[in-house]
C-alpha cells in the first residue's frame, strides 16, 4: 500500500515497544512545550499528530505532517469564514433547533467536504480539513482557532523532526525482510498447489482466496526500497540507511513484483477451474491437472532460487528444466483451456529469463 514500509505481518515485541515508546515521546514533548508556551490549559491538539502521523515508516512523516498541517489551516480558515457571516452555535440555539445554527452547520459541513476532496492526494481525501472545520465549529470560543493552529504546528514539527531520530528503522533491511517473508509464503503456496494437483484433488482449497495480501507484499517492498533510495539525500543523522543497499536487492524486488502478477494469474485460473469443475476431484480422464504438478514444482524451485539470489548458472538450469516440462505438457495437452492455464507459468519463465539477463 502506498506510504508504508514492507515489514513482517506481526512485528516482534521489541519493535512494537520501540514504536509505542516513539509515539509516547512524540506526543508528550509537544504537550509540555505548549503548556510552557501557554497556548491553552489542555493542549490535546499538540499530542494528536503523533497518534495520527507516526507509522512504521517514520521517514514518511514529513509528507503526512505537511498534509495534516495544510488540512488544519484550511479547516480552521473555512470555519472562521463561515462563522463570520453566520451565527455560531450556542447551547440555546441547539436545544431550540434553531434554523440559523443548522444552516451554519450545513455550510461548514459542505465547505469541509469540498475542501477535503479538493485536496485529494495519495489516493485519499484530506480528512483533516473536515475534522478541523467541525472541531472549530463545535468550540467557537475566542482564541481557540489560533490556539489549535499553534498546537497542531508544534505537534507536527515535533513528529517530523524528532520521530525519525528515535530508533530509526533501516528501510533496506525492512524491504529485504519483506522479500524473505514473501518468498517463504510463496514457496508454501505453490508447494501446496502442486501437492493437490499430484494427488488428483481439487486444484485449490474450497472457500474464498486467502492469498490477496501475499501478492501485494512484493510491490510494498519495492516501494520501500525506492523511498529509501530517494532518502539518501537526507543528513546521515536523520536517516539510518546504509551507503548502498545489499547487492541485487533491487533486481530481486522487481523480479518478485513482476512474477507476483503472473503467479497470481495462474492461481486464479486454477481457482476458476476448481469452480467450474465443482468441489469434487477432476475426472480420471482429465490428466492435464495431474501432469501439471511437476511443472508447478519446477517453476516454484526456479522462482525461489532467483529470489534467493543464487548463482545465475543454477537458476538457468532450473529454468531450462521448467521450460522443458512446459513444452512437454503443451505437447500432451494442446487445448485452448490448458494453454490458458499454463500461461501464468509461461510468463513466469519469461520473467526469470529477463531477470537473469539483467544480472548478466
Amino acid at each position: 500500500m502506498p506510504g508504508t514500509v514492507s515489514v513482517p505481518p506481526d512485528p516482534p515485541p521489541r519493535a512494537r515497544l520501540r514504536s509505542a515508546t516513539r509515539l509516547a515521546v512524540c506526543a508528550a514533548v509537544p504537550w509540555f512545550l505548549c503548556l510552557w508556551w501557554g497556548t491553552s490549559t489542555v493542549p490535546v491538539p499538540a499530542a494528536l499528530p503523533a497518534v495520527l502521523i507516526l507509522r512504521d515508516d517514520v521517514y514518511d512523516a514529513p509528507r503526512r505532517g505537511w498534509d495534516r498541517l495544510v488540512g488544519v489551516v484550511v479547516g480552521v480558515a473555512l470555519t472562521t469564514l463561515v462563522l463570520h457571516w453566520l451565527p455560531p452555535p450556542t447551547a440555546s440555539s441547539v436545544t431550540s433547533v434553531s434554523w440559523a445554527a443548522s444552516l451554519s452547520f450545513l455550510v461548514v459541513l459542505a465547505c469541509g467536504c469540498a475542501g477535503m476532496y479538493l485536496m485529494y492526494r495519495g489516493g485519499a481525501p484530506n480528512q483533516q480539513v473536515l475534522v478541523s472545520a467541525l472541531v472549530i465549529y463545535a468550540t467557537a470560543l475566542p482564541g481557540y482557532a489560533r490556539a489549535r493552529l499553534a498546537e497542531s504546528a508544534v505537534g507536527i514539527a515535533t513528529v517530523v523532526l524528532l520521530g525519525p531520530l528515535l530508533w530509526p528503522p533501516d528501510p533496506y533491511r525492512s524491504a529485504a525482510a519483506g522479500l524473505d517473508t514473501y518468498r517463504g509464503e510463496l514457496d508454501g503456496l505453490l508447494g501446496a498447489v502442486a501437492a493437490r494437483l499430484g494427488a488428483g484433488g481439487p486444484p485449490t482449497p474450497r472457500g474464498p482466496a486467502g492469498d490477496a495480501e501475499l501478492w501485494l507484499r512484493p510491490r510494498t517492498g519495492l516501494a520501500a526500497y525506492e523511498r529509501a533510495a530517494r532518502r539518501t539525500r537526507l543528513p546521515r543523522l536523520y536517516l539510518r540507511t546504509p551507503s548502498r543497499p545489499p547487492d541485487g536487492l533491487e533486481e530481486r524486488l522487481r523480479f518478485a513484483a513482476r512474477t507476483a502478477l503472473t503467479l497470481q494469474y495462474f492461481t486464479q485460473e486454477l481457482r476458476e477451474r476448481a469452480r467450474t469443475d465443482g468441489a469434487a476431484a477432476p475426472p480420471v480422464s482429465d490428466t492435464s491437472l495431474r501432469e501439471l504438478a511437476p511443472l508447478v514444482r519446477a517453476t516454484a524451485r526456479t522462482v525461489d532460487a532467483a529470489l534467493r539470489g543464487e548463482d545465475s548458472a543454477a537458476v538457468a538450469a532450473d529454468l531450462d528444466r521448467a521450460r522443458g516440462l512446459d513444452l512437454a505438457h503443451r505437447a500432451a495437452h494442446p487445448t485452448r483451456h490448458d494453454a490458458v492455464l499454463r500461461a501464468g507459468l509461461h510468463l513466469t519463465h519469461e520473467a526469470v529469463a529477463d531477470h537473469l539477463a539483467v544480472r548478466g
Side-chain angles (χ1 to χ4, degrees):
M1 163 173 310
T4 58
V5 163
S6 176
V7 294
D10 295 318
R14 182 179 300 178
R16 300 178 194 175
L17 179 61
R18 287 198 299 264
S19 298
T21 305
R22 182 190 303 117
L23 190 150
V25 171
C26 290
V29 168
W31 169 281
F32 288 105
L33 284 176
C34 289
L35 286 180
W36 171 76
W37 190 8
T39 56
S40 67
T41 56
V42 186
V44 173
L48 287 179
V51 181
L52 301 176
I53 294 177
L54 280 179
R55 299 289 187 274
D56 292 314
D57 186 5
V58 295
Y59 302 122
D60 199 37
R63 180 188 62 82
R64 288 195 299 268
W66 173 254
D67 291 343
R68 177 173 171 81
L69 181 60
V70 172
V72 171
V73 172
V74 174
V76 170
L78 287 175
T79 303
T80 303
L81 183 62
V82 171
L83 294 182
H84 178 73
W85 297 102
L86 296 175
T90 61
S92 59
S93 65
V94 173
T95 55
S96 62
V97 195
S98 170
W99 286 105
S102 299
L103 178 61
S104 62
F105 169 76
L106 292 176
V107 173
V108 169
L109 180 63
C111 293
C113 289
M116 181 175 68
Y117 281 94
L118 286 175
M119 299 180 63
Y120 204 92
R121 180 180 176 184
N126 192 332
Q127 297 176 332
Q128 187 59 48
V129 177
L130 182 58
V131 171
S132 296
L134 293 178
V135 169
I136 298 300
Y137 177 81
T139 317
L141 299 176
Y144 179 76
R146 183 180 301 176
R148 179 168 177 82
L149 281 175
E151 291 167 359
S152 297
V154 172
I156 292 171
T158 302
V159 170
V160 171
L161 298 176
L162 183 61
L165 297 179
L166 301 175
W167 305 284
D170 185 341
Y172 291 146
R173 180 179 298 178
S174 299
L179 180 62
D180 289 339
T181 302
Y182 167 75
R183 182 185 56 77
E185 294 184 2
L186 177 64
D187 186 66
L189 174 65
L190 295 181
V193 168
R196 295 177 70 89
L197 291 174
T204 56
R206 300 182 182 91
D211 52 4
E213 183 181 352
L214 172 66
W215 306 121
L216 294 176
R217 197 161 290 153
R219 178 59 58 183
T220 304
L222 180 59
Y225 178 94
E226 292 175 343
R227 287 195 301 272
R230 290 195 300 268
R231 293 189 190 109
T232 54
R233 297 189 297 268
L234 296 176
R236 301 299 299 169
L237 178 65
Y238 193 74
L239 176 63
R240 194 190 75 179
T241 303
S243 57
R244 59 189 303 270
D247 291 336
L249 178 60
E250 180 180 6
E251 289 77 12
R252 288 186 287 130
L253 285 170
R254 295 190 182 281
F255 169 73
R258 179 179 175 183
T259 53
L261 298 175
T262 60
L263 293 173
Q264 183 183 14
Y265 169 80
F266 168 69
T267 55
Q268 184 61 34
E269 285 299 321
L270 279 180
R271 193 167 288 112
E272 287 297 316
R273 175 72 71 92
R275 185 181 63 83
T276 54
D277 289 344
V284 177
S285 59
D286 184 8
T287 60
S288 62
L289 291 180
R290 292 182 178 85
E291 295 180 358
L292 193 66
L295 175 57
V296 174
R297 292 192 183 95
T299 302
R301 187 180 304 110
T302 304
V303 172
D304 185 74
L307 291 176
R308 287 178 181 272
E310 293 185 2
D311 182 69
S312 297
V315 178
D318 290 336
L319 176 60
D320 291 340
R321 181 174 181 274
R323 280 178 162 173
L325 292 172
D326 185 16
L327 291 175
H329 193 276
R330 185 184 309 174
H333 306 281
T335 64
R336 180 184 61 85
H337 201 44
D338 291 321
V340 171
L341 189 60
R342 287 190 305 267
L345 299 178
H346 178 74
L347 292 174
T348 302
H349 300 161
E350 294 300 316
V352 175
D354 293 343
H355 175 66
L356 292 176
V358 171
R359 290 175 56 181

